[in-house]
Amino acid sequence: MVAYVMPGASSFGLSVVANMFVDRTAMGLPAFDLTVCGDDLGCLRTDIGLVLQVEHRPEVMKGADLVILLPSDSRPLRLRRPAREAITAAHRRGAIVAAYDTGTFLLADTGLLAGRRATTDWSLAGQLAERHPEIDVRSESLYVDEGRLVTGAGAAAGMDMLLHLLRREHGTFVSTTVAGEAMVTSRRESGQVYYVPAPAGQATQCDTGDHGDARLADVLAWAAARLEQRLSVTDLARHALMSPRTFARHFRAAMGTTPHAWLRDQRLDRAEELLEATDLPIRTVAHKVGFRSDGVLREQFMKRHGVSPRAYRHAHHRRSPWRTGS
């Protein structure tokens, strides 16, 4: 895979990519080879003044299986012709092209996003829509998956986008393991909206401080270990020593989703792991993760993946990882 950088490239973004795709073959994960390229060879200064030695020109992107356009504080956000041609050639060849934050502007500059959905940092969404009216800008999304074109929102949403790609291309076990190593949440759904906390002094009755955070963490661990049970929001609230209504408010504020949706996603994540790593019958998998029947599991899989659990298992066993070259 190849990461494209411009002057003023995000140091945080580069570290995120490096962390997501560091060598974890000793843990049984696929091998990745990360190459960084830029318009000019030599020293490139990042957004915080760090000096990066660029040893590859944009042409290296033409042979990549995954191209990542990193954010930059450089202006204007325009691609030079060699970079634009290399990105479009890679996409035409079948590569996945991903970008987030201001990197989405670079991807938009190639014309590949015309007629498609995309996202960027919420504060830049209006500018992107104005500059590229041919793009359906989804400012509320953490990331938008358009197949071989994937875009993410700002800052930490880049991790969500990359974990989504790992999960999509290599399965839940790989993405969950990488997330655990990076100490980040393994899944936040693409449609999850940004959560902006209330200003200081405007606390609500569900604000519980550090103690409340620890209590919620305990509830999440408790529920994750009991997915095979018929857990309800009331059960979770009782374990948290809160009323269901207060617990639901606190949960949404902290997690950006509802307890019901979180439980469903945890069950689907666990089902994906079992389908990838075992030969258990589909009905057994459904019961082990807390779904009433294999029919319910199938319905939820169709909503998330567009394929049945059986087809998901078959696709995982046949999936080829991104090449270990660039």
Side-chain angles (χ1 to χ4, degrees):
M1 72 199 63
V2 176
Y4 170 77
V5 294
M6 294 179 65
S10 167
S11 297
F12 175 72
L14 188 59
S15 68
V16 165
V17 172
N19 196 1
M20 292 291 110
F21 298 108
V22 71
D23 184 5
R24 294 185 176 92
T25 52
M27 302 174 66
L29 270 59
F32 302 108
D33 180 23
L34 174 62
T35 298
V36 176
C37 77
D39 294 315
D40 301 301
L41 302 183
C43 294
L44 179 146
R45 196 170 294 277
T46 70
D47 58 342
I48 61 173
L50 296 178
V51 176
L52 176 68
Q53 186 69 24
V54 177
E55 299 180 349
H56 300 275
R57 294 188 186 276
E59 287 74 15
V60 73
M61 290 187 282
K62 294 180 180 179
D65 297 298
L66 171 64
V67 172
I68 303 172
L69 309 182
L70 288 180
S72 169
D73 64 7
S74 179
R75 297 296 184 272
L77 288 165
R78 301 286 188 186
L79 290 169
R80 294 187 190 176
R81 182 174 178 178
R84 185 183 302 109
E85 291 179 347
I87 294 166
T88 54
H91 183 262
R92 188 164 52 247
R93 210 192 86 260
I96 299 167
V97 183
Y100 72 98
D101 201 298
T102 56
T104 301
F105 284 75
L106 302 179
L107 181 52
D109 198 35
T110 66
L112 293 173
L113 289 176
R116 296 178 181 271
R117 298 171 303 138
T119 191
T120 185
D121 185 274
W122 67 269
S123 65
L124 300 172
Q127 296 179 40
L128 181 64
E130 182 178 358
R131 182 183 298 182
H132 296 280
E134 74 280 7
I135 299 174
D136 180 6
V137 178
R138 302 296 180 93
S139 60
E140 75 284 357
S141 298
L142 287 171
Y143 55 86
V144 172
D145 187 339
E146 285 278 340
R148 289 190 294 110
L149 296 170
V150 183
T151 54
M159 287 186 281
D160 297 297
M161 180 190 74
L162 294 175
L163 286 170
H164 168 71
L165 278 173
L166 282 172
R167 185 169 57 250
R168 193 188 80 180
E169 298 297 315
H170 295 284
T172 300
F173 173 76
V174 171
S175 64
T176 302
T177 302
V178 171
E181 284 277 291
M183 299 184 70
V184 296
T185 302
S186 61
R187 178 194 289 274
R188 292 199 291 167
E189 292 298 333
S190 63
Q192 182 174 320
V193 298
Y194 296 110
Y195 168 64
V196 181
Q202 295 184 16
T204 66
Q205 61 177 314
C206 65
D207 292 329
T208 52
D210 293 340
H211 180 65
D213 292 339
R215 187 184 300 174
L216 180 59
D218 176 66
V219 172
L220 297 179
W222 177 83
R226 293 165 174 78
L227 293 178
E228 75 282 358
Q229 300 179 15
R230 300 285 182 84
L231 297 175
S232 64
V233 176
T234 300
D235 294 326
L236 271 62
R238 185 180 299 117
H239 188 78
L241 303 178
M242 298 180 187
S243 71
R245 193 170 182 177
T246 298
F247 175 76
R249 283 200 300 270
H250 181 60
F251 193 98
R252 177 176 281 280
M255 301 296 293
T257 189
T258 66
H260 175 77
W262 180 85
L263 277 171
R264 179 203 62 212
D265 289 340
Q266 293 299 305
R267 288 182 167 125
L268 284 171
D269 287 351
R270 180 58 181 153
E272 289 170 5
E273 292 178 359
L274 291 174
L275 290 169
E276 294 166 13
T278 76
D279 293 318
L280 291 172
I282 304 298
R283 183 184 299 272
T284 302
V285 171
H287 287 297
K288 277 186 171 292
V289 301
F291 287 119
R292 296 190 305 275
S293 68
D294 52 344
V296 175
L297 176 62
R298 176 185 173 84
E299 178 185 356
Q300 293 299 325
F301 251 76
M302 292 299 295
K303 288 180 179 178
R304 176 183 277 194
H305 296 291
V307 299
S308 68
R310 193 176 306 279
Y312 178 90
R313 170 178 275 169
H314 181 69
H316 174 76
H317 289 313
R318 295 178 61 86
R319 181 182 292 126
S320 298
W322 289 319
R323 292 196 296 270
T324 55
S326 63

